[in-house]
Amino acid sequence: MTPRRSSREETRTALFDAALEEFAHHGFRNTTHADIAAAVGIGRTTFYEYFESTEDLLVQLVEERMPLVVSDIVDAISPDLTAVDRMRELGLRTVEFVGLDHLGLILHTESMRMSEASQRRVAAAHADLVGAFAEIYAAGVAAGDFRDLPQRVAGQLMFQTVMGAGKAIMDSPDPKQQVHATAEIAVDFLIRGLATD
C-alpha cells in the first residue's frame, strides 16, 4: 500500500505542475509567483512558504524530476550495444527531451540566465546524463571508434550539438513533426565529428 501524501507535498507538486504549464504558455521570465499561486488556488504569500522565488521553484523542480528523466533516458539504452550505437541512442533520446519536454525547453532557454548557485544545482541534477555521455565517449575512444579529443572539447561538442538540435526543434513550426528528423541529423553530425575516420 502506497503511503498517503501530505497536503503540503500535494501542494508542492501542484505548484510544480502549474509552473510548468505557466512557463510553457508565457515563458519563464514572464511568469510571476502570483501567476503560479493563482493557478493552484493559493495566495501569493503562501507561495513563499514553499519557494523563495520562481527561480528557486524551477531549480527544486529540476532537482526533483531530472534524476528520474535521466534515469529513464540512460536505462533505456542497452549496455550490450557498441559505443557508437549507445552514443546514437543517448543523443537521440536527449535531443528529444530537450526539444519536446517542457522542462527541457525551459532549461535550454533559461539555465544560463540563472544565478551561479542555481546553475550549479541544475548542473548537479544533470550529472548522471553528463556522466553517461562521458562514459560512452571514453568507451568509444578505447574501442578506436572515437577520436581522443581533450575532454572539455569533446564535452562541449556533445553538449552544443544536443542543445542546438533541441533549439532547432523548439523553434520549428511543428516541433513534434520535426523531432525525429532533427534528432537524427544532429546525432549523425555528432558521431561523424567524433569518429576516427
Side-chain angles (χ1 to χ4, degrees), residues 143-179:
D145 295 325
F146 295 146
R147 290 186 283 159
D148 190 5
L149 302 170
Q151 186 176 18
R152 186 170 188 281
V153 172
Q156 280 298 314
L157 287 172
M158 290 183 273
F159 175 79
Q160 294 299 335
T161 301
V162 167
M163 291 300 136
K167 175 109 173 76
I169 292 165
M170 74 173 83
D171 289 346
S172 70
D174 190 352
K176 288 184 180 179
Q177 290 293 334
Q178 298 297 315
V179 65

Side-chain angles (χ1 to χ4, degrees), residues 172-192:
S172 70
D174 190 352
K176 288 184 180 179
Q177 290 293 334
Q178 298 297 315
V179 65
H180 298 296
T182 303
E184 287 284 350
I185 291 166
V187 171
D188 185 57
F189 178 81
L190 173 63
I191 289 174
R192 286 176 187 264

Side-chain angles (χ1 to χ4, degrees), residues 51-152:
F51 307 104
E52 295 175 9
S53 63
T54 54
E55 182 173 305
D56 179 49
L57 178 150
L58 179 56
V59 171
Q60 288 190 44
L61 174 63
V62 170
E63 289 173 329
E64 180 173 294
R65 297 193 180 174
M66 274 308 296
L68 300 173
V69 169
V70 170
S71 179
D72 287 347
I73 290 171
V74 173
D75 291 349
I77 301 167
S78 171
D80 299 329
L81 295 174
T82 66
V84 172
D85 289 338
R86 287 170 58 211
M87 182 67 76
R88 177 173 298 285
E89 284 296 311
L90 183 59
L92 290 172
R93 292 171 188 278
T94 305
V95 168
E96 289 173 3
F97 168 72
V98 171
L100 292 180
D101 188 277
H102 285 173
L103 186 56
L105 294 171
I106 294 161
L107 287 176
H108 178 69
T109 58
E110 298 301 331
S111 63
M112 299 311 284
R113 298 180 190 180
M114 293 180 182
S115 70
E116 287 184 27
S118 292
Q119 287 183 42
R120 282 192 299 274
R121 289 171 62 190
V122 166
H126 288 81
D128 288 345
L129 184 59
V130 172
F133 272 104
E135 184 271 322
I136 293 170
Y137 171 69
V141 169
D145 295 325
F146 295 146
R147 290 186 283 159
D148 190 5
L149 302 170
Q151 186 176 18
R152 186 170 188 281

